[in-house]
Amino acid sequence: MTAAHTSPARPAAPDQDAVPLVEVGGLRRVFDLSKPWLNRMIEGGGRVTLTAVDGVDFSINRGETYALVGESGSGKSTIAKMAVGLLPPSAGRVSIDGTDVWGEKGADAMRRMRRKIQMIFQDPFASLNPRWRVQAIIEEPIKAFGLIADPKDRAARVGELLSLVGLDARDGQKFPHEFSGGQRQRIAIARALASDPQFIVCDEPTSALDVSVQAQVLNLLRDLQERLGLTYLFISHNLAVVRHVATRVGVLYLGRLVEEAPARELFAAPKHPYTKMLLDAVPDIEMEGKERLAIAGEIPNPVNPPPGCHFHPRCPFVMEHCSTDTPPAHLVGDAAVRCHLFAEDRAKTR
Amino acid sequence: MTATLSVRNLRVEIPTRAGVLRAIDDLSFDIAPGEVLGVVGESGAGKSITGSAIIGLLEPPGRVAAGEIRLGGERIDDLGPDQMRRIRGRRIGMIFQDPLTSLNPLYRIGDQLTETILTHERLSQRAARDKAQKLLEEVGIPAAGARLSAYPHQFSGGMRQRVVIALALCADPELVIADEPTTALDVSVQAQIIALLKRLCSERGASVMLITHDMGVIAETADRVCVLYAGRLAEIGPVRAVVKHPQHPYTHGLMSAIPSLAGDPDEELAQIPGAMPRLGAIPDGCAFNPRCDHAFARCRAERPHPYSAGASDAACFLHDPDPARRPPEPVARAAAARGIAAADETPEATS
Ligand SMILES: Nc1ncnc2c1ncn2[C@@H]1O[C@H](COP(=O)(O)OP(=O)(O)OP(=O)(O)O)[C@@H](O)[C@H]1O
Ligand SMILES: Nc1ncnc2c1ncn2[C@@H]1O[C@H](COP(=O)(O)OP(=O)(O)OP(=O)(O)O)[C@@H](O)[C@H]1O
Ligand code: SF4
Ligand code: SF4
Ligand SMILES: [Mg+2]
Ligand SMILES: [Mg+2]
């Protein structure tokens, strides 16, 4: 095993002059869960909609990692899909390097932008075509974007990408099933890097992996970021993992960002009651028997979330107006917190 | 005191076209009355198969090929299917990852509980139903009386797992085997379920075998922990000793690789190179030798059996009592983040 060593420090606090590469504003996505029109006419029942993402704003500076955390169904993957252009938003915008991902534009501009964005998924097996050799899997984006015409040069580039992710150039001749879970995730990373992207969305990239392999993949992602200046949107439900990768963190609850802060600040001084609860729920490997905020209840049905602050039925600090008024984002230091407890700072409200 | 569960030299084989695989190889451990034993290991290490072997539900063609399993001192590995069925549920309660595997979607929750209670206890229908309601209240289901007539799909994942815990405990078993009971649940619900399981078992004096890949859950819940690697025991010992002073190089690597909420987030995570071997390709000697940077010639030729190591037992030649047979010069490990003592250091006394 490799002993731990300190890597060059990542940008700790967001740099004031840093230019955001990715900007997400007022992002919203509503899913229609209604039965088909004819069934509604016959069986009755009205329209049913689910607001998976409800007015989300954040931006990611070049070379930084923005982490989205939240429990199942909070809208993480829906945001990821809208950010890479796989799912159209119901409202709001996503722009990469100033270009709107969902804006009207020519095919050429679209292709140029698409090239800059790649995605890595949770399940490294499902995301790789089992019938293709690794070589073909990795060179697919190179071909799709017409980056390297000569097959020999392409093969050389695939070899280079394989060694970049810690595999052997000869592994290109094998099939995905010949690799372990961690190695498959490396292949997925190599494929994502093939089009020379600037922005990579990683949706739970290590959730299906064992801890010893998770560490390999997390270290690799970090190493690649340093070497290639990549910008990541990193999605996870594991706060301990997020702490190791993120520059800035957004905490999602039922489609809303309830807290948004520099990673250091979020972990040192969480503000939103839900963030505190999530941190308290992380099993204590240090065995220090820390005091915890009692956790009650479960995530409510997202089809009709509780009114006002969605978190109010579970919140130990709930106040009367919490069940009627939706809290705006209050700025507290470098954090934005959607909770009425921070209303004293109303003057600074966004 | 007789151990609640005693597993001795267990070997589980799976015959396949490519040959007979040893899914579990020479595994021994005990669970004392009232004790929570955590069983950890990577995916495929053999955790679930160990549990299935104990409750006599190995999926064919898997079979117990050697060893003994005793419950309260009596052998149970050689019992017939009928006798085993009576032991399951009554003397051993089971909780699995997906609550829906333990619940029948077509029956009301109350009927399932009542029926299970009646198979174990001679009670009137009425008394059984009252007991069912009491159990639901105990596992924290609000409005338990009204919920008796609900179907499983009307419950959330966390509520269903509470019902499964109620089912597993309704006959007051002496042992509860919980296989990844919280893996399918949300983070905020996991902690609730673990706390519930722990409280109820300790109130009833039941022993628990808690199978999980999450070392954090083990650290919070277990009294002792058994670490499996490629179907073999790597290390077993008191949870504090294993977490803070791992004695086996694999356990040490595993502990250092876990990201935690303490320590310097900028520090790179320690990683173990490579991956656990597949069952058909376990190397000769110590199964961990290709990934171990303490490995020496003996590790590639001979298989280590558990040696006493600090407060634990570790299957590693670093702990051979004969210094001449240990590796030539143990490499001094940089103590990893969070003060995990290196595997070759002398551990402090653990309480
Ligand atoms: N195509 C769809 N049609 C209808 N509802 C959807 C669809 N995709 C997602 N949803 C719903 O939107 C909500 C957010 O889903 P999403 O997959 O973004 O959650 P997530 O945070 O990624 O959760 P997980 O941790 O389980 O991956 C959920 O309630 C989900 O059921
Ligand atoms: N029917 C089978 N044929 C061949 N191999 C099998 C069979 N059933 C199980 N195995 C193998 O036995 C080993 C142990 O499996 P087991 O399910 O006990 O692992 P586990 O430790 O519970 O892993 P997980 O964390 O993924 O649940 C694995 O390598 C698995 O591939
Ligand atoms: S707004 Fe009210 S209910 Fe919501 S988190 Fe803050 S205090 Fe709790
Ligand atoms: S027996 Fe050898 S290879 Fe195995 S863990 Fe110990 S030192 Fe490493
Ligand atoms: Mg998701
Ligand atoms: Mg299992």
Side-chain angles (χ1 to χ4, degrees):
Chain A
M1 70 213 80
T2 317
H5 68 270
T6 310
S7 57
R10 286 166 298 148
D15 191 343
Q16 293 305 315
D17 334 302
V19 213
L21 177 72
V22 182
E23 288 183 275
V24 171
L27 198 62
R28 192 176 156 81
R29 173 71 211 203
V30 180
F31 290 111
D32 190 347
L33 307 180
S34 322
K35 291 180 210 157
W37 174 81
L38 192 59
N39 296 52
R40 284 209 309 272
M41 294 304 285
I42 300 166
E43 302 159 19
R47 277 204 168 275
V48 181
T49 59
L50 185 156
T51 307
V53 176
D54 188 6
V56 163
D57 312 271
F58 61 87
S59 60
I60 316 176
N61 290 338
R62 229 174 255 281
E64 294 189 354
T65 301
Y66 188 95
L68 279 177
V69 289
E71 295 179 90
S72 183
S74 55
K76 306 182 294 295
S77 298
T78 307
I79 294 176
K81 287 180 199 146
M82 292 190 282
V84 295
L86 285 175
L87 182 80
S90 307
R93 50 179 231 110
V94 179
S95 69
I96 314 282
D97 213 1
T99 316
D100 193 336
V101 175
W102 289 99
E104 302 270 342
K105 61 179 126 6
D108 249 19
M110 197 69 181
R111 273 169 77 85
R112 244 177 295 135
M113 199 203 49
R114 281 283 162 85
R115 217 190 107 179
K116 289 183 197 160
I117 317 173
Q118 285 293 333
M119 186 153 175
I120 300 166
F121 298 91
Q122 169 170 357
D123 185 343
F125 203 48
S127 66
L128 303 176
N129 187 331
R131 276 186 282 275
W132 285 15
R133 286 184 200 278
V134 166
Q135 162 85 29
I137 291 173
I138 296 176
E139 74 180 353
E140 200 259 344
I142 304 179
K143 282 183 174 168
F145 292 108
L147 299 179
I148 304 173
D150 181 52
K152 260 226 208 75
D153 293 347
R154 221 161 40 219
R157 173 72 178 140
V158 170
E160 216 176 274
L161 287 163
L162 281 168
S163 41
L164 191 63
V165 298
L167 293 172
D168 193 297
R170 283 165 302 182
D171 287 335
Q173 293 318 305
K174 297 186 187 160
F175 289 95
H177 73 258
E178 297 175 65
F179 294 89
S180 68
Q183 289 173 323
R184 280 181 223 145
Q185 202 56 296
R186 287 172 192 266
I187 295 167
I189 295 170
R191 178 184 56 187
L193 293 173
S195 65
D196 284 324
Q198 299 179 359
F199 175 46
I200 302 186
V201 175
C202 312
D203 189 356
E204 306 260 13
T206 62
S207 302
L209 305 177
D210 282 303
V211 278
S212 74
V213 180
Q214 165 173 283
Q216 297 172 2
V217 171
L218 292 178
N219 288 343
L220 172 66
L221 285 172
R222 202 145 109 171
D223 179 46
L224 291 171
Q225 179 168 51
E226 268 158 31
R227 283 207 265 169
L228 308 174
L230 297 168
T231 305
Y232 294 137
L233 174 60
F234 189 97
I235 289 176
S236 178
H237 63 271
N238 186 328
L239 282 158
V241 165
V242 162
R243 185 170 172 272
H244 270 269
V245 298
T247 332
R248 228 182 140 77
V249 182
V251 180
L252 277 171
Y253 190 71
L254 286 171
R256 293 180 185 162
L257 267 185
V258 296
E259 179 161 357
E260 223 249 332
R264 278 179 186 280
E265 191 173 328
L266 188 110
F267 286 98
K271 299 190 175 63
H272 196 281
Y274 178 63
T275 313
K276 290 186 180 164
M277 196 183 90
L278 270 185
L279 277 168
D280 278 353
V282 177
D284 181 14
I285 191 96
E286 305 302 322
M287 311 190 65
E288 279 156 4
K290 63 178 177 188
E291 278 295 308
R292 285 155 177 258
L293 198 62
I295 297 167
E298 295 181 40
I299 299 182
N301 186 346
V303 172
N304 39 26
C309 170
H310 288 340
F311 188 58
H312 82 257
R314 304 174 74 187
C315 180
F317 309 106
V318 62
M319 300 172 285
E320 208 169 326
H321 59 300
C322 295
S323 54
T324 49
D325 304 350
T326 301
H330 298 289
L331 292 184
V332 188
D334 281 332
V337 191
R338 277 177 167 269
C339 168
H340 292 308
L341 289 174
F342 298 89
E344 299 86 78
D345 304 27
R346 204 181 293 274
K348 285 179 264 164
T349 295
R350 266 190 183 175
Chain B
M1 197 166 15
T2 318
T4 303
L5 181 76
S6 171
V7 172
R8 281 290 164 277
N9 309 102
L10 179 67
R11 187 160 89 215
V12 175
E13 292 181 346
I14 305 171
T16 68
R17 268 171 300 160
V20 176
L21 303 177
R22 283 197 183 174
I24 297 297
D25 197 358
D26 200 19
L27 176 65
S28 302
F29 62 87
D30 283 346
I31 308 183
E35 181 178 61
V36 180
L37 177 78
V39 177
V40 276
E42 302 187 30
S43 182
K47 306 181 293 295
S48 298
I49 283 199
T50 305
S52 310
I54 293 167
I55 58 180
L57 285 181
L58 274 177
E59 240 172 77
R63 56 164 196 255
V64 173
E68 283 181 17
I69 301 170
R70 287 173 190 272
L71 183 67
E74 306 157 37
R75 267 188 85 159
I76 56 166
D77 55 291
D78 52 3
L79 296 181
D82 282 341
Q83 287 167 296
M84 211 48 222
R85 196 168 308 124
R86 251 168 288 149
I87 286 186
R88 282 194 301 270
R90 187 172 310 182
R91 296 184 59 196
I92 306 180
M94 290 163 302
I95 301 165
F96 298 105
Q97 172 168 344
D98 180 2
L100 288 178
T101 56
S102 317
L103 295 173
N104 187 327
L106 302 177
Y107 286 91
R108 296 174 195 276
I109 298 282
D111 296 344
Q112 300 193 42
L113 273 168
T114 315
E115 192 185 310
T116 311
I117 291 167
L118 288 174
T119 58
H120 301 309
E121 260 182 285
R122 305 186 54 161
L123 287 177
S124 71
Q125 186 74 29
R126 173 96 221 198
R129 212 166 166 82
D130 286 347
K131 183 164 178 184
Q133 180 175 337
K134 274 241 301 288
L135 269 168
L136 282 190
E137 277 161 11
E138 230 185 318
V139 295
I141 303 235
R147 296 298 188 103
L148 282 172
S149 54
Y151 289 93
H153 74 265
Q154 294 172 298
F155 279 36
S156 67
M159 296 277 227
R160 278 185 215 134
Q161 200 59 298
R162 288 173 191 268
V163 174
V164 171
I165 291 176
L167 270 171
L169 293 177
C170 74
D172 279 324
E174 53 214 84
L175 174 68
V176 171
I177 299 184
D179 190 351
E180 307 272 4
T182 59
T183 310
L185 303 177
D186 270 315
V187 190
S188 67
V189 180
Q190 284 183 8
Q192 301 172 19
I193 296 294
I194 287 289
L196 175 74
L197 182 66
K198 190 168 180 177
R199 174 171 65 79
L200 292 183
C201 291
S202 89
E203 279 170 12
R204 287 168 163 73
S207 305
V208 182
M209 176 167 155
L210 176 63
I211 297 173
T212 172
H213 62 270
D214 189 338
M215 203 66 190
V217 168
I218 298 270
E220 290 225 320
T221 319
D223 301 308
R224 285 193 314 137
V225 52
C226 163
V227 183
L228 295 184
Y229 186 81
R232 303 172 180 185
L233 178 88
E235 177 165 358
I236 186 167
V239 69
R240 238 198 136 70
V242 175
V243 168
K244 294 287 188 192
H245 303 282
Q247 298 295 311
H248 192 286
Y250 171 65
T251 322
H252 184 258
L254 192 67
M255 291 308 308
S256 319
I258 301 173
S260 95
L261 290 181
D264 180 2
D266 284 338
E267 197 150 287
E268 195 157 293
L269 291 166
Q271 60 186 54
I272 310 175
M276 194 176 73
R278 272 172 243 166
L279 287 185
I282 298 178
D284 285 340
C286 173
F288 188 58
N289 84 65
R291 305 174 74 188
C292 179
D293 50 8
H294 297 275
F296 61 116
R298 187 182 178 196
C299 306
R300 287 179 275 273
E302 196 184 326
R303 179 174 163 190
H305 289 275
Y307 295 104
S308 164
S312 314
D313 290 327
C316 169
F317 293 130
L318 289 175
H319 301 285
D320 191 319
D322 178 0
R325 311 210 60 208
R326 285 184 214 150
E329 197 182 295
V331 198
R333 290 320 47 246
R338 295 180 285 129
I340 295 164
D344 48 2
E345 272 169 24
T346 329
E348 300 163 16
T350 33
S351 49

